[in-house]
Each structure stands twice: as C-alpha cells, then as structure tokens.
Amino acid sequence: MSASPAAEADLELRDAHESARLGPYLRDLWSRRSYIWYVSTNELRSRQVTNVLGNLWHLLNPALGIGVYFVIFGLLLDVGDRSSDNFFLFLTVGLFVFQFTQKATTDGAKSIVNNLGLLRAIKFPRAMLPVTSTVTETIAFWPSLLVIYFVAVLTEGVRWQWVVLPAIILVQALFNTGSAMIAARMTTHFRDTTQILPFFFRLLLYASGVIFNVDSYADGNKVVEWLFTLNPMYCFITIARWTVMDTPVRPEYVVSMFVWTILIVVLGFLWFRAAEERYARD
C-alpha cells in the first residue's frame, strides 16, 4: 500500500542545517534571547577571571586608553587647541563611541569561524553568534559610558541631554549587529578579513572625526562636510558629543544615523542569512 503524498512529504529527507523560513527563524532567534544574555555575561566574566583586579578592568581599560590618546594627541601633537575647548571630553566621547563599533564588528567577524564545531553539531539560528558577540560588547560598553559621564561632570557639568546618550548607544548597538553579521559572513569567504579589519578601522578612525573637529579643518567646504555626513561613525560620534558637550549637531546627522542603521541591520541580516546553510560546511 503506497503512502499518501502528504505522508511522503513528511518522510522526505532534509538537510539538518537547512534554514527555516523568515518568520519562524526570527521567532526561534527571539526565543533564545535568555541564552544569548547568559552566554554574553559569562563571556565577560571569563575575560577577567585570571586578572587580579577582575571586573575592575572594565573601568580601567577605557580610562587608560583615553589617557594614552590624550597624551599623544592632546599634549605631544597639540591637536586639542583647534578641536575643542574641552579636548579631553571631546576625545573621550569620540574614542569610546568609535571603539564600540570597532570591537563589536571585529568580534562578530570571528563568531562563525571560531564556532564551526558547534555549528556542525547543533541546529540553531546562525545569527545567534554575531548577535551574541554584539550583546557582549554592548554590555561591556556601559562602564565606558560611566567614564564619559564622570569626565563630563568634572569638566562640563550635568546637562539634560545626558538622558539621550543611552538611546543613541542602543541605536548604535543595532548598527553594530548588522555590521557584525556582514563581517561574520565575509570572514567565512575570506579568512583574512580578521587581519584586514584592524587596518580598516585605523583608517576609519581618522576619517570619522574621533581626534579632531571636522568643522575646524573643513573651512566651510560643503563637499567635505557631506562626505562626513555620509559616514555613519561620524554621525554617531557627533550626536554623542552633543549629548554631553552641547556641541552643534545638524539634522542631517540624525537622518544619516537612522538611515544607515536601518540599512545595515536589514541588509546585513539578509546577506548573512542567505548563506545560513553554508556555514557548517565551509
């Protein structure tokens, strides 16, 4: 007695790593949010478990980093006089906001290639891996936010715009998620991506106004100003500086920030998911 067509469809062999449709895929990813949080928090603990000062390094690392950059660019190279009256806070905000995306992207780039054994053994939404790396870096960023507020209190005083900064960081976290997914897939095709990214971000650092005030160097050149407006990192940094320093911010920076975030998240996710079934085989 032959089986019915419906029964034959049920018995059809399927690839264990076959991706689900978009709706079920997103629901499956959302249902694992507790696990993503658990892995992210444990990753942060494990990073400092062998250090004497432990989690205190989450505060010391950003503080020491900003100190080094201030000595080099603020004191030795004397960039600060032309960039801002409060160059220390100017540099603090720019560097921390920039490093947030840099760390999330570089960690996301390794999220697939460092977990090939897990990918081949267990079926789960592959997007969990770059999402988890981004959540980890987002949690790790909050001590840097405290350092920004601390420096602002000492040098500028409290401003009402402070309440906006955490929202900007959350928008940037979404941007970082898409960036991490793009980098994760690129690394599966070209493993040297992880070696190239540090050089890319070093160049981007100087092209994003992290260390200098773009307006003071552009001298009203509209082409230069629009090029920086099209740079999402410059927009994130400029808006973040407005929240703690009350520096001028143009409406087009806000528009650029949101447009880039939506594009990177949507296109990054779709491009990453298009190769979902390949990750366990490569």
Side-chain angles (χ1 to χ4, degrees), residues 23-211:
Y25 185 93
L26 291 174
R27 286 194 295 271
D28 192 10
L29 185 62
W30 175 252
S31 68
R32 298 169 190 264
R33 61 191 181 278
S34 297
Y35 178 77
I36 292 173
W37 181 265
Y38 173 81
V39 172
S40 298
T41 52
N42 274 274
E43 168 64 19
L44 287 177
R45 294 191 193 100
S46 65
R47 289 182 185 180
Q48 310 297 347
V49 70
T50 58
N51 294 327
V52 175
L53 297 180
N55 289 329
L56 187 59
W57 279 107
H58 290 308
L59 284 173
L60 290 178
N61 271 328
L64 292 174
I66 195 63
V68 170
Y69 274 86
F70 180 75
V71 169
I72 295 174
F73 293 98
L75 300 181
L76 298 181
L77 299 181
D78 199 23
V79 175
D81 289 343
R82 193 173 176 182
S83 295
S84 173
D85 294 334
N86 187 352
F87 183 65
F88 191 77
L89 182 57
F90 178 90
L91 183 60
T92 299
V93 176
L95 187 61
F96 287 169
V97 171
F98 181 85
Q99 288 182 338
F100 181 31
T101 293
Q102 179 182 14
K103 291 177 181 178
T105 304
T106 53
D107 281 2
K110 298 177 285 188
S111 61
I112 295 295
V113 296
N114 285 355
N115 291 281
L116 291 179
L118 181 65
L119 290 170
R120 290 164 182 159
I122 305 174
K123 179 176 172 58
F124 62 92
R126 297 343 189 182
M128 275 184 61
L129 297 176
V131 168
T132 299
S133 67
T134 304
V135 171
T136 301
E137 291 305 326
T138 302
I139 299 172
F141 179 81
W142 295 110
S144 299
L145 188 63
L146 295 179
V147 173
I148 291 174
Y149 283 147
F150 179 73
V151 174
V153 167
L154 294 180
T155 60
E156 290 281 336
V158 179
R159 299 181 185 277
W160 72 266
Q161 295 100 315
W162 279 23
V163 298
V164 182
L165 184 55
I168 300 301
I169 298 305
L170 291 178
V171 174
Q172 189 179 359
L174 289 176
F175 176 89
N176 294 348
T177 302
S179 179
M181 289 184 181
I182 293 172
R185 178 171 174 181
M186 286 180 62
T187 306
T188 63
H189 295 301
F190 184 58
R191 297 299 173 89
D192 290 341
T193 298
T194 55
Q195 304 299 323
I196 295 174
L197 279 175
F199 295 97
F200 168 77
F201 276 105
R202 192 172 303 169
L203 178 63
L204 186 61
L205 182 143
Y206 296 107
S208 301
V210 175
I211 299 170

Side-chain angles (χ1 to χ4, degrees), residues 267-282:
L267 297 181
F269 172 75
L270 293 177
W271 192 61
F272 177 88
R273 187 171 176 270
E276 179 94 2
E277 299 169 14
R278 296 178 49 188
Y279 297 136
R281 303 185 187 124
D282 291 344

